[in-house]
Amino acid sequence: MLLLADKVVFLTGGTEGIGFECAKVYQRAGANLCIISNDPRSISHAKLQLSEGITEFVLADVSSSREVRYAIMHCLEIFGKIDVIHNNAGISNPSKALHETSDEEWHKLFEVNVGGIYHTTFHGIDALKKSGGNILNTGSLVGEIGQEIHAAYTATKGAVNALTKSMALDYAPFGIRVNAVAPAGVITPLLRAWSQQQPDPDSAEAYLNNIHALGYCPEGDVIADACLFLISDMARFVTGCILPVSGGAELGYKKLSSKQNHFHDL
């Protein structure tokens, strides 16, 4: 039996990285997808690989309430309902200490990483109340343990953790579950390219492997499998959970040497 048969998933940031892996897994599990992205090129690429399923793409920026409202309305017009909102879209730049972070950089991170959740919930909660659906947020392990030279980014992910728990309490009376996944390092095309640009790519790869107790940095599919569990009825009594999908990295995040740069999940 397909875990998401006849379900409609509203997925932000679903055309690349972890979000794209989620889109593929959700589609194989029987879901109809409404994928939101602000990148026309990545939408075109994703269309080619997700052509077999029932998938709708919407060009929209999650930091814009107006654009998210349009995306939610479009999804409802096409599919008639929304069963899951997966807030995956996010940004990570800049890699700076707090005093080096500009006002513009600070606000942009919060507008996307936290504001996106606000916008999809504000405009989509009525649909979830009707369907008895659930919400999944893509967080990060660094929202719990912190990370050097990523103050603003980790602040947004810490906010996602707290927001997830508060939302779980607020929407439990409606039968709506709210959870989050918290990856550590995740190999995506963007992170591969970034690593190859470093002075010592071999050391970069070793670092990414070594921060995980299981000894390797995973592909995005391992995160997608955990996400599938959380949005499916298999997790029907799970809410307010911040699920580490981190290979044990939270048991002791190793520090980089001063000659290396700093990594985050991408």
Side-chain angles (χ1 to χ4, degrees):
M1 181 177 178
L2 297 175
L3 288 177
L4 300 181
D6 300 319
K7 300 292 186 181
V8 176
V9 179
F10 184 93
L11 171 63
T12 69
T15 56
E16 55 189 1
I18 292 172
F20 184 58
E21 294 302 321
C22 287
K24 292 189 290 185
V25 167
Y26 296 168
Q27 188 182 75
R28 289 197 296 269
N32 298 324
L33 301 175
C34 185
I35 298 178
I36 314 307
S37 173
N38 67 346
D39 183 353
R41 286 183 295 180
S42 70
I43 288 177
S44 297
H45 175 73
K47 280 183 177 180
L48 295 175
Q49 298 194 52
L50 295 172
S51 58
E52 295 182 2
I54 302 176
T55 304
E56 188 74 12
F57 293 87
V58 181
L59 180 65
D61 186 337
V62 297
S63 68
S64 167
S65 178
R66 178 182 58 81
E67 293 184 21
V68 171
R69 179 177 179 272
Y70 167 78
I72 291 285
M73 292 178 62
H74 182 75
C75 183
L76 291 171
E77 288 174 2
I78 297 297
F79 297 112
K81 65 172 183 172
I82 296 174
D83 296 289
V84 178
I85 294 177
H86 182 175
N87 295 298
N88 176 75
I91 58 175
S92 57
N93 291 330
S95 299
K96 298 177 181 179
L98 188 61
H99 71 281
E100 298 172 328
T101 304
S102 71
D103 185 76
E104 181 181 357
E105 290 167 335
W106 173 268
H107 283 95
K108 184 63 176 177
L109 274 163
F110 274 89
E111 287 168 0
V112 174
N113 295 0
V114 185
I117 297 174
Y118 167 68
H119 292 142
T120 62
T121 304
F122 185 87
H123 295 296
I125 193 63
D126 286 342
L128 292 183
K129 287 179 180 179
K130 291 178 182 178
S131 67
N134 68 85
I135 297 171
L136 178 64
N137 300 322
T138 298
S140 170
L141 182 61
V142 300
E144 175 66 24
I145 66 173
Q147 187 178 23
E148 295 173 282
I149 321 300
H150 286 88
Y153 173 71
T154 60
T156 66
K157 293 303 183 178
V160 169
N161 289 352
L163 189 57
T164 297
K165 295 176 182 180
S166 293
M167 290 168 64
L169 293 171
D170 287 338
Y171 302 129
F174 303 99
I176 297 172
R177 300 183 298 107
V178 186
N179 294 293
V181 288
V186 179
I187 295 176
T188 63
L190 181 61
L191 187 56
R192 284 197 186 97
W194 190 94
S195 297
Q196 291 303 311
Q197 294 168 6
Q198 302 310 301
D200 188 355
D202 292 336
S203 294
E205 181 179 352
Y207 169 73
L208 287 169
N209 289 332
N210 288 337
I211 63 172
H212 303 88
L214 290 179
Y216 67 96
C217 186
E219 303 281 345
D221 62 313
V222 303
I223 314 301
D225 287 343
C227 291
L228 173 61
F229 165 73
L230 285 173
I231 69 171
S232 77
D233 287 342
M234 294 289 286
R236 60 192 176 276
F237 204 62
V238 178
T239 195
C241 174
I242 313 299
L243 179 65
V245 190
S246 55
E250 69 275 15
L251 304 177
Y253 221 32
K254 297 181 181 179
K255 294 182 67 175
L256 288 163
S257 72
S258 61
K259 294 182 179 180
Q260 292 174 297
N261 286 305
H262 299 266
F263 294 80
H264 42 76
D265 51 295
L266 290 170

